[in-house]
Amino acid sequence: MTDRKDRPAIAGRLALAFALAVGLALPARGELVGHGAIVNVVTVSPDGAQALTGSWDYTVRLWDIKTHRELRVLNEHRASVNDVVFLPDGQRAISASWDTTLKLWDLRNGAVLRTYEGHASNVSGVAVSVDGKTAISGGWDRTVRVWDVETGTQLKVLEGHNANVMSVAFLPGDKRAISASYDLTLKVWDVESGTVVNTLTGHANSVNSVAVSPDGRRALSASTDGTVRLWDLATFKELTVLEGHAGFVITAEFSPDGKYALSGGGDRTARLWDLATGRELRTFSGHRKPIWSVAFTPDGKHALSAGYDEGVKIWDVETGREITAATPKPAN
Protein backbone atom coordinates (compact mmCIF):
# COMPACT_ATOMS: atom_id res chain seq x y z
CA MET A 1 0.00 0.00 0.00
CA THR A 2 1.22 3.51 -0.79
CA ASP A 3 2.39 5.48 2.25
CA ARG A 4 0.24 8.58 2.87
CA LYS A 5 3.30 10.86 2.79
CA ASP A 6 4.09 9.74 -0.77
CA ARG A 7 0.63 10.40 -2.18
CA PRO A 8 1.00 14.14 -3.01
CA ALA A 9 4.30 13.55 -4.81
CA ILE A 10 2.85 10.63 -6.76
CA ALA A 11 -0.24 12.65 -7.62
CA GLY A 12 1.94 15.47 -8.92
CA ARG A 13 3.98 13.13 -11.11
CA LEU A 14 0.84 11.49 -12.49
CA ALA A 15 -0.69 14.88 -13.28
CA LEU A 16 2.47 15.95 -15.09
CA ALA A 17 2.63 12.71 -17.07
CA PHE A 18 -1.03 13.02 -18.04
CA ALA A 19 -0.59 16.63 -19.15
CA LEU A 20 2.38 15.73 -21.31
CA ALA A 21 0.54 12.77 -22.81
CA VAL A 22 -2.55 14.70 -23.87
CA GLY A 23 -0.85 18.01 -24.60
CA LEU A 24 -2.48 20.10 -21.90
CA ALA A 25 -1.06 23.54 -21.12
CA LEU A 26 1.31 23.40 -18.16
CA PRO A 27 1.97 26.24 -15.70
CA ALA A 28 4.29 28.95 -17.00
CA ARG A 29 7.93 28.65 -15.99
CA GLY A 30 7.57 31.77 -13.87
CA GLU A 31 5.27 30.05 -11.40
CA LEU A 32 6.07 28.24 -8.16
CA VAL A 33 4.99 24.78 -9.25
CA GLY A 34 4.89 21.63 -7.15
CA HIS A 35 1.51 21.28 -5.50
CA GLY A 36 -0.81 18.66 -6.91
CA ALA A 37 -4.03 20.47 -6.04
CA ILE A 38 -5.58 23.88 -5.30
CA VAL A 39 -3.26 26.28 -3.45
CA ASN A 40 -5.32 27.81 -0.64
CA VAL A 41 -2.77 30.22 0.77
CA VAL A 42 0.52 31.95 0.07
CA THR A 43 2.44 34.01 2.62
CA VAL A 44 5.88 35.65 2.69
CA SER A 45 8.60 35.39 5.35
CA PRO A 46 9.51 38.45 7.45
CA ASP A 47 12.77 38.91 5.51
CA GLY A 48 11.06 38.53 2.13
CA ALA A 49 13.32 35.69 1.00
CA GLN A 50 10.91 32.79 1.30
CA ALA A 51 7.25 31.93 0.85
CA LEU A 52 4.99 29.29 2.34
CA THR A 53 2.02 27.74 0.58
CA GLY A 54 -0.73 25.42 1.78
CA SER A 55 -2.81 23.19 -0.46
CA TRP A 56 -5.60 20.69 -0.92
CA ASP A 57 -2.81 18.13 -1.48
CA TYR A 58 -2.40 18.10 2.34
CA THR A 59 1.04 19.74 2.25
CA VAL A 60 2.76 22.96 3.26
CA ARG A 61 5.63 23.90 0.96
CA LEU A 62 8.55 26.27 1.56
CA TRP A 63 9.92 28.21 -1.43
CA ASP A 64 12.87 30.41 -2.32
CA ILE A 65 11.21 33.47 -3.85
CA LYS A 66 14.20 34.60 -5.93
CA THR A 67 14.88 31.27 -7.61
CA HIS A 68 11.30 29.90 -7.39
CA ARG A 69 12.83 26.71 -6.01
CA GLU A 70 10.92 24.41 -3.65
CA LEU A 71 13.00 24.07 -0.48
CA ARG A 72 10.92 21.74 1.65
CA VAL A 73 7.65 19.80 1.72
CA LEU A 74 5.88 19.60 5.10
CA ASN A 75 3.52 16.65 5.01
CA GLU A 76 1.88 15.68 8.29
CA HIS A 77 -1.70 16.96 7.93
CA ARG A 78 -4.42 14.46 7.09
CA ALA A 79 -6.51 16.85 4.97
CA SER A 80 -6.37 20.16 3.10
CA VAL A 81 -4.12 22.90 4.49
CA ASN A 82 -6.23 26.07 4.49
CA ASP A 83 -3.90 28.67 6.00
CA VAL A 84 -0.29 29.03 7.11
CA VAL A 85 1.65 31.83 8.77
CA PHE A 86 5.31 32.45 9.57
CA LEU A 87 6.25 33.13 13.16
CA PRO A 88 8.25 36.36 13.68
CA ASP A 89 11.54 34.44 13.85
CA GLY A 90 11.02 33.24 10.25
CA GLN A 91 12.19 29.76 11.25
CA ARG A 92 8.85 28.37 12.40
CA ALA A 93 5.32 28.41 11.03
CA ILE A 94 1.78 27.41 12.04
CA SER A 95 -0.64 25.78 9.61
CA ALA A 96 -4.42 25.30 9.84
CA SER A 97 -6.14 22.30 8.29
CA TRP A 98 -9.40 20.66 7.37
CA ASP A 99 -8.25 17.79 9.66
CA THR A 100 -9.37 20.05 12.60
CA THR A 101 -5.82 20.69 13.83
CA LEU A 102 -3.11 23.31 13.67
CA LYS A 103 0.56 22.38 13.53
CA LEU A 104 3.71 24.23 14.57
CA TRP A 105 6.62 23.48 12.20
CA ASP A 106 10.38 23.88 12.37
CA LEU A 107 11.13 25.13 8.84
CA ARG A 108 14.82 24.25 9.14
CA ASN A 109 14.17 20.51 9.20
CA GLY A 110 10.44 20.12 8.48
CA ALA A 111 9.66 18.65 11.91
CA VAL A 112 6.31 19.09 13.65
CA LEU A 113 6.99 20.74 16.99
CA ARG A 114 3.42 20.87 18.27
CA THR A 115 -0.12 19.92 17.25
CA TYR A 116 -3.00 22.10 18.50
CA GLU A 117 -6.29 20.28 19.00
CA GLY A 118 -9.63 21.69 20.07
CA HIS A 119 -11.63 22.73 17.01
CA ALA A 120 -14.58 20.46 16.23
CA SER A 121 -14.42 21.05 12.48
CA ASN A 122 -12.32 22.48 9.62
CA VAL A 123 -9.78 25.11 10.74
CA SER A 124 -9.80 27.81 8.08
CA GLY A 125 -7.64 30.65 9.42
CA VAL A 126 -4.68 31.29 11.72
CA ALA A 127 -2.73 34.35 12.89
CA VAL A 128 0.18 34.87 15.28
CA SER A 129 0.89 37.73 17.68
CA VAL A 130 3.79 40.13 17.09
CA ASP A 131 5.86 38.52 19.86
CA GLY A 132 5.14 35.03 18.51
CA LYS A 133 3.80 33.78 21.84
CA THR A 134 0.08 33.60 21.03
CA ALA A 135 -1.89 32.27 18.07
CA ILE A 136 -5.56 32.60 17.15
CA SER A 137 -7.52 30.35 14.83
CA GLY A 138 -10.96 30.39 13.23
CA GLY A 139 -12.98 27.38 12.19
CA TRP A 140 -16.16 25.95 10.81
CA ASP A 141 -17.27 25.18 14.36
CA ARG A 142 -18.06 28.93 14.45
CA THR A 143 -15.40 29.66 17.05
CA VAL A 144 -12.19 31.66 17.34
CA ARG A 145 -9.65 29.97 19.60
CA VAL A 146 -6.63 31.41 21.39
CA TRP A 147 -3.49 29.29 21.85
CA ASP A 148 -0.20 29.39 23.73
CA VAL A 149 2.25 28.78 20.89
CA GLU A 150 4.97 27.10 22.94
CA THR A 151 2.86 24.76 25.07
CA GLY A 152 -0.06 24.18 22.70
CA THR A 153 -2.51 25.03 25.48
CA GLN A 154 -5.88 26.37 24.41
CA LEU A 155 -6.29 29.60 26.36
CA LYS A 156 -9.75 30.73 25.35
CA VAL A 157 -12.69 30.00 23.04
CA LEU A 158 -14.37 33.08 21.51
CA GLU A 159 -17.98 32.44 20.56
CA GLY A 160 -20.45 34.73 18.81
CA HIS A 161 -20.46 34.02 15.09
CA ASN A 162 -23.49 32.24 13.62
CA ALA A 163 -21.65 30.52 10.76
CA ASN A 164 -18.19 29.35 9.67
CA VAL A 165 -15.28 31.58 10.71
CA MET A 166 -13.03 31.92 7.65
CA SER A 167 -10.23 34.29 8.59
CA VAL A 168 -8.64 35.90 11.66
CA ALA A 169 -6.09 38.62 12.37
CA PHE A 170 -4.53 40.32 15.39
CA LEU A 171 -4.66 44.06 15.84
CA PRO A 172 -1.32 45.70 16.82
CA GLY A 173 -0.71 45.23 20.52
CA ASP A 174 -2.28 41.77 20.31
CA LYS A 175 -5.00 42.63 22.84
CA ARG A 176 -7.67 42.63 20.16
CA ALA A 177 -8.40 40.41 17.18
CA ILE A 178 -10.81 40.45 14.23
CA SER A 179 -12.59 37.59 12.49
CA ALA A 180 -14.50 37.19 9.21
CA SER A 181 -17.42 34.82 8.83
CA TYR A 182 -19.96 33.33 6.47
CA ASP A 183 -22.58 35.01 8.69
CA LEU A 184 -21.89 38.21 6.64
CA THR A 185 -20.11 39.94 9.53
CA LEU A 186 -16.73 40.73 11.00
CA LYS A 187 -16.26 40.74 14.75
CA VAL A 188 -13.67 42.61 16.81
CA TRP A 189 -12.72 40.73 19.98
CA ASP A 190 -11.07 41.51 23.29
CA VAL A 191 -8.68 38.56 23.33
CA GLU A 192 -8.15 38.46 27.10
CA SER A 193 -11.80 38.61 28.14
CA GLY A 194 -13.16 36.80 25.08
CA THR A 195 -15.91 39.39 24.57
CA VAL A 196 -17.11 40.97 21.33
CA VAL A 197 -16.06 44.62 21.13
CA ASN A 198 -18.04 45.35 17.97
CA THR A 199 -19.66 43.66 14.99
CA LEU A 200 -19.05 45.13 11.53
CA THR A 201 -21.92 44.77 9.06
CA GLY A 202 -22.35 45.84 5.45
CA HIS A 203 -21.45 42.88 3.28
CA ALA A 204 -24.35 41.28 1.42
CA ASN A 205 -22.81 37.81 1.36
CA SER A 206 -20.21 35.67 3.14
CA VAL A 207 -17.01 37.38 4.29
CA ASN A 208 -14.06 35.28 3.16
CA SER A 209 -11.04 37.09 4.56
CA VAL A 210 -9.89 39.93 6.78
CA ALA A 211 -6.59 41.81 7.06
CA VAL A 212 -5.45 44.59 9.40
CA SER A 213 -3.37 47.58 8.26
CA PRO A 214 0.21 47.90 9.56
CA ASP A 215 -0.79 50.81 11.80
CA GLY A 216 -3.81 48.93 13.15
CA ARG A 217 -6.28 51.65 12.27
CA ARG A 218 -8.11 49.94 9.42
CA ALA A 219 -9.25 46.53 8.23
CA LEU A 220 -9.90 45.07 4.79
CA SER A 221 -12.55 42.44 4.14
CA ALA A 222 -13.20 40.42 0.97
CA SER A 223 -16.59 38.94 0.23
CA THR A 224 -18.63 36.72 -2.04
CA ASP A 225 -20.74 39.83 -2.71
CA GLY A 226 -17.97 40.93 -5.11
CA THR A 227 -16.58 43.75 -2.98
CA VAL A 228 -13.60 44.59 -0.82
CA ARG A 229 -14.47 46.90 2.07
CA LEU A 230 -12.23 49.19 4.11
CA TRP A 231 -13.15 49.73 7.78
CA ASP A 232 -12.12 52.21 10.46
CA LEU A 233 -11.22 50.19 13.57
CA ALA A 234 -11.58 53.16 15.91
CA THR A 235 -15.13 54.07 14.89
CA PHE A 236 -16.04 50.66 13.36
CA LYS A 237 -17.44 52.48 10.33
CA GLU A 238 -17.18 51.44 6.71
CA LEU A 239 -14.85 53.84 4.89
CA THR A 240 -14.75 52.63 1.29
CA VAL A 241 -16.22 49.95 -0.95
CA LEU A 242 -13.83 48.72 -3.64
CA GLU A 243 -15.72 47.38 -6.65
CA GLY A 244 -14.27 46.01 -9.86
CA HIS A 245 -13.99 42.24 -9.58
CA ALA A 246 -16.42 40.27 -11.73
CA GLY A 247 -17.74 37.83 -9.17
CA PHE A 248 -16.74 36.72 -5.70
CA VAL A 249 -13.64 38.06 -3.92
CA ILE A 250 -11.75 35.60 -1.73
CA THR A 251 -8.76 37.53 -0.45
CA ALA A 252 -7.43 41.05 0.22
CA GLU A 253 -4.22 42.29 1.82
CA PHE A 254 -2.67 45.66 2.73
CA SER A 255 0.62 46.79 1.24
CA PRO A 256 3.40 47.16 3.84
CA ASP A 257 2.97 50.96 3.88
CA GLY A 258 -0.81 50.66 4.22
CA LYS A 259 -1.51 52.83 1.17
CA TYR A 260 -2.65 50.10 -1.18
CA ALA A 261 -4.65 46.90 -1.20
CA LEU A 262 -4.31 43.77 -3.29
CA SER A 263 -7.32 41.52 -3.86
CA GLY A 264 -8.05 38.31 -5.73
CA GLY A 265 -11.09 36.27 -6.61
CA GLY A 266 -13.25 34.30 -8.96
CA ASP A 267 -12.56 36.38 -12.05
CA ARG A 268 -8.98 34.98 -12.08
CA THR A 269 -7.42 38.41 -11.52
CA ALA A 270 -5.55 40.16 -8.73
CA ARG A 271 -6.24 43.87 -8.46
CA LEU A 272 -4.25 46.71 -6.90
CA TRP A 273 -6.20 49.54 -5.24
CA ASP A 274 -5.33 53.04 -4.04
CA LEU A 275 -6.98 53.18 -0.62
CA ALA A 276 -6.94 56.99 -0.45
CA THR A 277 -9.12 57.30 -3.55
CA GLY A 278 -10.68 53.84 -3.87
CA ARG A 279 -9.39 53.72 -7.44
CA GLU A 280 -8.21 50.52 -9.10
CA LEU A 281 -4.62 51.06 -10.23
CA ARG A 282 -3.70 47.78 -11.87
CA THR A 283 -5.02 44.37 -12.85
CA PHE A 284 -2.75 41.32 -12.73
CA SER A 285 -3.97 38.75 -15.25
CA GLY A 286 -2.56 35.34 -16.03
CA HIS A 287 -4.20 32.83 -13.72
CA ARG A 288 -6.41 30.33 -15.50
CA LYS A 289 -8.72 29.75 -12.52
CA PRO A 290 -9.89 31.65 -9.41
CA ILE A 291 -7.34 33.24 -7.08
CA TRP A 292 -7.53 32.07 -3.47
CA SER A 293 -4.73 34.04 -1.80
CA VAL A 294 -2.49 37.10 -2.32
CA ALA A 295 0.49 38.53 -0.44
CA PHE A 296 2.99 41.38 -0.66
CA THR A 297 6.72 41.08 -0.07
CA PRO A 298 7.88 43.22 2.89
CA ASP A 299 9.36 45.89 0.60
CA GLY A 300 6.06 46.21 -1.28
CA LYS A 301 7.74 45.78 -4.67
CA HIS A 302 6.41 42.33 -5.43
CA ALA A 303 3.11 40.52 -4.98
CA LEU A 304 2.29 36.83 -4.97
CA SER A 305 -0.99 35.20 -5.99
CA ALA A 306 -2.14 31.60 -5.70
CA GLY A 307 -5.24 29.58 -6.31
CA TYR A 308 -7.28 27.04 -8.12
CA ASP A 309 -4.82 26.45 -10.96
CA GLU A 310 -2.29 24.94 -8.49
CA GLY A 311 0.50 27.47 -9.13
CA VAL A 312 1.81 30.64 -7.49
CA LYS A 313 2.65 33.70 -9.56
CA ILE A 314 5.02 36.51 -8.56
CA TRP A 315 4.37 40.01 -9.90
CA ASP A 316 6.20 43.30 -10.19
CA VAL A 317 3.75 45.64 -8.46
CA GLU A 318 4.85 48.76 -10.35
CA THR A 319 4.73 47.32 -13.87
CA GLY A 320 2.20 44.52 -13.45
CA ARG A 321 4.55 42.06 -15.12
CA GLU A 322 5.03 38.50 -13.95
CA ILE A 323 8.47 37.78 -12.50
CA THR A 324 10.31 34.70 -13.74
CA ALA A 325 12.84 32.79 -11.70
CA ALA A 326 16.42 34.02 -11.37
CA THR A 327 18.95 31.61 -12.79
CA PRO A 328 20.42 29.56 -9.91
CA LYS A 329 24.20 29.66 -9.48
CA PRO A 330 25.99 26.36 -10.24
CA ALA A 331 26.83 24.33 -7.15
CA ASN A 332 30.49 24.30 -6.16
Side-chain angles (χ1 to χ4, degrees):
M1 183 179 290
T2 303
D3 188 271
R4 178 178 61 82
K5 293 183 180 181
D6 295 330
R7 291 175 187 171
I10 292 172
R13 290 196 294 269
L14 289 174
L16 177 60
F18 177 75
L20 291 172
V22 301
L24 294 178
L26 295 175
R29 67 183 180 90
E31 295 185 30
L32 308 185
V33 179
H35 283 293
I38 298 166
V39 183
N40 294 315
V41 59
V42 60
T43 188
V44 179
S45 62
D47 65 4
Q50 297 176 334
L52 281 170
T53 52
S55 168
W56 271 94
D57 68 7
Y58 300 9
T59 71
V60 175
R61 295 178 188 240
L62 180 68
W63 306 85
D64 183 294
I65 290 178
K66 185 176 181 180
T67 65
H68 295 204
R69 186 166 60 92
E70 183 183 281
L71 301 175
R72 197 173 299 282
V73 179
L74 312 179
N75 187 21
E76 292 292 340
H77 279 296
R78 303 185 308 277
S80 171
V81 178
N82 302 315
D83 201 6
V84 63
V85 60
F86 281 94
L87 267 65
D89 60 20
Q91 298 179 341
R92 295 176 297 163
I94 297 180
S95 56
S97 172
W98 200 285
D99 66 12
T100 75
T101 74
L102 300 104
K103 290 185 183 293
L104 175 66
W105 304 87
D106 186 326
L107 298 178
R108 295 165 294 187
N109 57 24
V112 175
L113 302 175
R114 189 92 53 222
T115 297
Y116 307 86
E117 296 180 293
H119 279 285
S121 187
N122 174 36
V123 190
S124 45
V126 61
V128 175
S129 61
V130 172
D131 62 10
K133 294 181 179 180
T134 309
I136 53 172
S137 58
W140 285 27
D141 58 6
R142 304 183 179 185
T143 69
V144 175
R145 295 175 188 249
V146 185
W147 309 87
D148 183 295
V149 169
E150 295 299 334
T151 67
T153 303
Q154 182 176 280
L155 302 175
K156 199 165 293 291
V157 180
L158 312 182
E159 296 180 284
H161 279 295
N162 297 317
N164 304 346
V165 179
M166 299 304 297
S167 178
V168 291
F170 275 105
L171 276 64
D174 302 326
K175 293 182 179 180
R176 289 186 174 185
I178 188 168
S179 55
S181 171
Y182 275 4
D183 66 9
L184 283 60
T185 74
L186 300 106
K187 289 186 182 293
V188 179
W189 305 86
D190 182 295
V191 174
E192 185 174 348
S193 68
T195 58
V196 176
V197 176
N198 207 290
T199 298
L200 311 183
T201 60
H203 280 293
N205 210 321
S206 57
V207 189
N208 299 312
S209 74
V210 63
V212 174
S213 62
D215 63 8
R217 297 179 179 178
R218 297 165 299 161
L220 279 170
S221 56
S223 172
T224 304
D225 67 12
T227 70
V228 176
R229 295 176 189 244
L230 182 68
W231 306 86
D232 186 308
L233 291 178
T235 64
F236 306 111
K237 301 296 184 181
E238 182 184 283
L239 298 174
T240 307
V241 180
L242 308 177
E243 297 181 280
H245 280 284
F248 59 84
V249 189
I250 292 293
T251 179
E253 293 289 343
F254 283 96
S255 61
D257 61 9
K259 295 180 179 180
Y260 307 99
L262 184 68
S263 59
D267 61 4
R268 301 173 292 176
T269 68
R271 296 172 187 254
L272 183 70
W273 307 86
D274 184 322
L275 293 177
T277 64
R279 186 167 64 93
E280 183 184 314
L281 300 177
R282 188 161 288 108
T283 300
F284 303 90
S285 301
H287 280 280
R288 300 175 304 283
K289 294 182 180 180
I291 294 173
W292 243 234
S293 181
V294 295
F296 281 98
T297 54
D299 61 9
K301 294 181 179 180
H302 297 135
L304 288 77
S305 57
Y308 225 87
D309 55 10
E310 304 180 11
V312 179
K313 291 181 179 290
I314 303 176
W315 308 91
D316 183 299
V317 171
E318 185 174 353
T319 66
R321 294 177 181 173
E322 186 178 351
I323 303 296
T324 56
T327 303
K329 294 180 180 179
N332 293 330

